[in-house]
Amino acid sequence: MAQAKLVGLRIDIETKSATNLKLSGVYPYVEDPEFEVLVIGYAPIREFPGGARKMGAPRTLDLYDQPTVERFAALLVDTKIEKHAFNAGFERVALSKWIGLDNGTYMNPRNWHCAMIRANVNGVYGTLDEVAKVLRSPITKDKEGARLIRLFSSPDATAKKFHRIEDRCWCGRNHEADFKKFESYCEIDVLAEAGVAALLPDIPKFVQREYEADQQVNDRGFLHDKALAVAAVTAVATEQARLMGELKVLTGVDNPNSGPQMQTWLEAHGYPMLSLDKEARAKALADPTAPEKVREVLVLKGAAGMTSVSKHKAALNTRCADGRIRGSLAFHGAHTGREAGRGIQPQNLPRYEAPDADRALLVSGNAGERAPEIAKGSVRASLIPARKHVFVVPDYNAIEARCLGWQAEESWVEEEFRGEGKIYEATAATMFGASKADIIEGRAKCNECGYCSPCTLRGQGKVSNLALGY
């Protein structure tokens, strides 16, 4: 009688690292010196004569049995063996480090199957627990898992150390009983992943191939100019400190970042404001009755609140030891099926590019009050193509707005694209009774700064066009 053939594995792992996974992503997370795979839960998938497939009972791998570990590692790198996991990219990258691959080298993503992608393709988004609940799966995650993850996977908040499993943990407790629960929790996750996959249709083979290609793109990443990013963050912090100092002198307020303190000051100066956000400040600055000192404070407040270095910070957080940023794309991350950005979000970079001379001022520490503007315009320049290569920016111009207008049979949209093609400006002009020409002219004058009135109007027109279009 023919024997059942091993064709795949369902896998879930538990790990630890001193690097913040949510902030940095999986690639820097596994490069941390304290990274370790703590538990590997798995279940074999066998194919029986006639084509029937059956999953075996989940179990945990004995990480101290070297022959068993070597056999398991051989299955991981065998592209003929299917590997199934929820958020499989994490398992693949983490286990690449576990089997001894160098930083920047990862297992071939071929035949790695992701239940999270399967859920996303079928319109369900969220964590394994959330997806299981939406699908009403009879198998859900162990609720005690959160406590066990805090215990074993995160450094202790006070001692900044990881708890050890053996009898002589630094805290004086024996955690062996809890670790047995941790292993059981991992095994239940294997079952939960299988339950989710069983309730969802398979993704098409071409989508699986696209996912594998996406993983290769994320593994490769792109080079990043650390010196430029650090200079941008430093220069903006210096300029913000100067602006906050001016605000303190001008208002006498201890903490100009405090909304209540600033609102108290404004009320005392005869101009109460319920909010100090960008829209409220713009409205106040356009009010001819606003006192001059209030206007001066609001301008300073807006300048001090600029966050033009968020992408530089994200780049530094997600940058790997070899200077490359990886994992910046999330396959099928949007409900429309397109990739979403993570970390620096390379699909959503500022259009403005600061000239070389301005970037030199930034690096030399001489950008002064222009630091936020130049920092914002240096994001694209901080991404470095391979030697003798250039970056190409491929995009269909306003493809969503075009298709939505056509599907909704809005003839004015088609007419706009036959003419100037300024659909977002045209939408804003219609919504707010503004002049499309004035919006276009204003954005040209400000070099598309992103925060002035014309830029704000255009942004509102874009959001409305795309969001309400659906």
Side-chain angles (χ1 to χ4, degrees):
M1 182 177 176
Q3 295 292 314
K5 178 184 177 184
L6 180 69
V7 293
L9 298 167
R10 292 201 181 276
I11 304 169
D12 187 77
I13 64 175
E14 305 300 336
T15 61
K16 72 171 188 178
S17 173
T19 295
N20 186 313
L21 178 62
K22 290 184 178 180
L23 190 65
S24 300
V26 63
Y27 294 93
Y29 177 86
V30 304
E31 290 184 356
D32 190 287
E34 294 196 75
F35 169 77
E36 185 180 346
V37 174
L38 300 173
V39 185
I40 298 178
Y42 71 99
I45 303 171
R46 291 188 172 88
E47 188 171 271
F48 290 80
R53 290 160 64 100
K54 185 177 180 182
M55 187 184 90
R59 63 195 79 169
T60 52
L61 190 73
D62 185 349
L63 301 182
Y64 298 99
D65 183 344
Q66 194 58 31
T68 301
V69 166
E70 289 175 1
R71 286 195 296 272
F72 192 82
L75 292 174
L76 290 177
V77 298
D78 186 345
T79 56
K80 297 188 293 296
I81 298 293
E82 298 174 9
K83 274 75 65 174
H84 295 259
F86 193 91
N87 191 14
F90 177 83
E91 267 76 10
R92 184 178 60 83
V93 173
L95 289 171
S96 295
K97 187 71 173 180
W98 177 74
I99 66 174
L101 296 183
D102 293 334
N103 288 344
T105 307
Y106 312 98
M107 282 186 278
N108 189 333
R110 184 181 172 191
N111 231 349
W112 279 81
H113 300 263
C114 183
M116 183 181 74
I117 299 302
R118 190 167 175 169
N120 291 358
V121 170
N122 286 285
V124 186
Y125 287 76
T127 63
L128 176 57
D129 190 37
E130 291 166 343
V131 171
K133 287 177 180 176
V134 168
L135 297 176
R136 299 182 181 179
S137 171
I139 307 164
T140 56
K141 290 170 68 73
D142 184 348
K143 292 181 179 178
E144 198 176 20
R147 179 185 72 85
L148 296 169
I149 287 171
R150 285 194 300 271
L151 180 62
F152 294 114
S153 297
S154 304
D156 180 87
T158 303
K160 307 298 182 186
K161 298 178 182 178
F162 288 97
H163 288 103
R164 295 200 302 274
I165 302 154
E166 63 269 16
D167 190 24
R168 295 182 303 186
C169 178
W170 59 267
C171 74
R173 288 178 54 200
N174 184 336
H175 298 294
E176 287 181 307
D178 270 333
F179 195 75
K180 287 292 183 185
K181 293 179 183 178
F182 202 35
E183 291 177 324
S184 296
Y185 165 74
C186 189
E187 291 175 4
I188 290 171
D189 269 6
V190 174
L191 284 175
E193 184 270 335
V196 162
L199 292 168
L200 292 165
D202 285 335
I203 62 174
K205 289 183 178 178
F206 77 88
V207 176
Q208 173 63 25
R209 291 195 298 270
E210 288 175 354
Y211 167 69
E212 292 170 3
D214 163 90
Q215 293 295 283
Q216 289 180 311
V217 170
N218 273 306
D219 286 351
R220 184 183 302 117
F222 44 84
L223 279 171
H224 173 247
D225 188 338
K226 181 179 180 180
L228 182 57
V230 170
V233 172
T234 303
V236 170
T238 301
E239 177 59 12
Q240 285 180 327
R242 183 187 70 79
L243 290 168
M244 293 301 288
E246 284 193 26
L247 271 173
K248 286 183 180 181
V249 171
L250 192 59
T251 62
V253 169
D254 291 335
N255 179 16
N257 274 329
S258 168
Q261 288 187 32
M262 288 300 297
Q263 285 169 327
T264 299
W265 183 89
L266 287 164
E267 189 170 355
H269 284 74
Y271 200 83
M273 293 177 65
L274 296 176
S275 172
L276 288 170
D277 63 17
K278 183 168 70 172
E279 187 176 349
R281 293 196 309 270
K283 187 176 180 180
L285 289 171
D287 180 2
T289 67
E292 189 59 36
K293 191 170 184 178
V294 167
R295 297 169 67 86
E296 188 179 355
V297 166
L298 292 177
V299 169
L300 281 173
K301 179 71 175 170
M306 287 184 65
T307 56
S308 55
V309 291
S310 57
K311 286 191 177 292
H312 285 298
K313 289 179 178 178
L316 292 169
N317 286 331
T318 54
R319 192 176 187 271
C320 293
D322 61 359
R324 301 185 77 84
I325 294 174
R326 296 181 170 89
S328 59
L329 298 172
F331 183 75
H332 216 291
H335 284 75
T336 55
R338 71 177 185 178
E339 286 184 308
R342 295 291 183 266
I344 194 172
Q345 300 188 21
Q347 303 138 300
N348 186 28
L349 301 178
R351 290 184 176 229
Y352 171 62
E353 291 190 58
D356 291 347
D358 283 353
R359 296 202 300 272
L361 288 174
L362 198 67
V363 173
S364 65
N366 295 310
E369 63 183 30
R370 294 187 59 218
E373 170 201 350
I374 300 173
K376 182 178 180 180
S378 299
V379 175
R380 287 177 182 263
S382 70
L383 312 183
I384 308 169
R387 187 175 178 82
K388 296 184 179 179
H389 288 69
V390 295
F391 283 133
V392 175
V393 183
D395 193 11
Y396 288 111
N397 180 32
I399 185 63
E400 289 173 309
R402 291 173 190 265
C403 292
L404 287 169
W406 172 74
Q407 287 184 314
E409 298 182 354
E410 292 284 348
S411 58
W412 70 272
V413 174
E414 296 179 48
E415 288 301 319
E416 179 63 38
F417 281 117
R418 289 191 184 102
E420 290 183 288
K422 300 291 186 180
I423 185 62
Y424 305 136
E425 289 84 348
T427 302
T430 301
M431 289 177 65
F432 301 109
S435 162
K436 186 180 82 169
D438 287 348
I439 297 173
I440 295 171
E441 184 181 347
R443 280 168 49 78
K445 286 181 179 177
C446 75
N447 204 13
E448 300 181 7
C449 68
Y451 53 86
C452 68
S453 179
C455 286
T456 300
L457 282 173
R458 195 259 189 186
Q460 292 171 335
K462 180 176 181 179
V463 171
S464 300
N465 187 284
L466 298 180
L468 300 179
Y470 285 100

